[in-house]
Amino acid sequence: MVHMTSRVLTVGFDLDMTLIDSRPGIHACYQALSARTGTYIDADLAITRLGPPLAEELVNWFPAEQVEAVADVYREMYPTHAIAPTPAMAGARESIAAVREAGGRAIVVTAKYEPNAKLHLSHLGIEPDAVIGGLWAEGKAEALREYDAGIYVGDHTGDVRGARTANALSVAVATGPCDAEELRAAGADVVLTDLTEFPSWLAGYTEAPL
């Protein structure tokens, strides 16, 4: 018997370092932004802390009053520099397919600027049922509740907080800046090495008796 007899299984996924390895693309975009603004940005360092909103990274390199304008420039440059070099994470396509095979729907909830999130997914041929951008940590609960998501999959402690705020099961993958121990300490219900483990976990979860 399925856990959710009265509701459609809806699984939310984070984007950066959960479904896509955005490090090469973001690295290239930061280098281009640095060249365009004449401001030094340590792109190698910046890509070790992906997850939080862009402004939280830019404030390390630009005066606070410039961050909003610089973020706009970054987002505008992003499609040119960041989409093509960015691959899907191992197991990403299979995980979305597993949700569909279980009769569910898969949504993407990310802090990334929504139009750029959609560009990544369409470039990679990954087609979730909905993409909601611009939400971080507890803010992700807004979309998870709206879509009645029972599970949220992410790689950051902020994703765990978002899932818990929405009363969704927090499934964490240790493929981003937070290791398995940090994710467990933050309250993740399930910690997987990466998304290649998700389809079999989901199969066991949906088949478990109530």
Side-chain angles (χ1 to χ4, degrees):
M1 181 179 281
V2 175
H3 275 280
M4 292 137 291
T5 44
S6 60
R7 58 196 274 210
V8 173
L9 168 71
T10 301
V11 180
F13 291 89
D14 175 50
L15 185 64
D16 286 16
M17 304 312 299
T18 299
L19 288 175
I20 64 172
D21 183 351
S22 48
R23 290 173 299 184
I26 289 176
H27 191 280
C29 199
Y30 275 133
Q31 286 186 314
L33 182 68
S34 181
R36 180 155 161 186
T37 59
T39 300
Y40 172 73
I41 298 169
D42 186 340
D44 291 339
L45 176 61
I47 62 166
T48 66
R49 45 193 188 200
L50 300 180
L54 175 62
E56 289 190 25
E57 182 60 45
L58 293 178
V59 80
N60 295 306
W61 313 106
F62 296 89
E65 66 274 9
Q66 290 179 22
V67 164
E68 199 176 328
V70 172
D72 286 342
V73 172
Y74 174 95
R75 290 186 187 110
E76 175 201 314
M77 298 170 75
Y78 192 94
T80 305
H81 297 278
I83 304 298
T86 297
M89 293 294 265
R93 291 182 177 88
E94 295 82 355
S95 294
I96 301 276
V99 175
R100 297 260 166 74
E101 281 157 24
R105 54 184 187 165
I107 65 170
V108 172
V109 183
T110 173
K112 192 179 288 298
Y113 179 56
E114 192 173 299
N116 288 342
K118 289 177 174 173
L119 285 176
H120 274 299
L121 293 161
S122 88
H123 176 75
L124 294 169
I126 297 173
E127 297 178 355
D129 294 283
V131 179
I132 306 95
L135 299 175
W136 165 240
E138 289 82 357
K140 292 187 172 193
E142 182 189 315
L144 297 174
R145 285 198 195 103
E146 183 188 340
Y147 286 86
D148 199 22
I151 300 168
Y152 184 59
V153 186
D155 65 281
H156 198 286
T157 54
D159 298 325
V160 176
R161 300 202 310 269
R164 294 185 73 83
T165 304
N167 291 322
L169 192 80
S170 170
V171 176
V173 283
T175 46
C178 305
D179 64 22
E181 202 174 309
E182 269 182 276
L183 294 163
R184 276 193 202 95
D189 297 295
V190 178
V191 180
L192 306 175
T193 308
D194 58 32
L195 278 182
T196 61
E197 297 176 3
F198 180 81
S200 60
W201 172 82
L202 184 69
Y205 174 78
T206 54
E207 284 160 19
L210 281 172

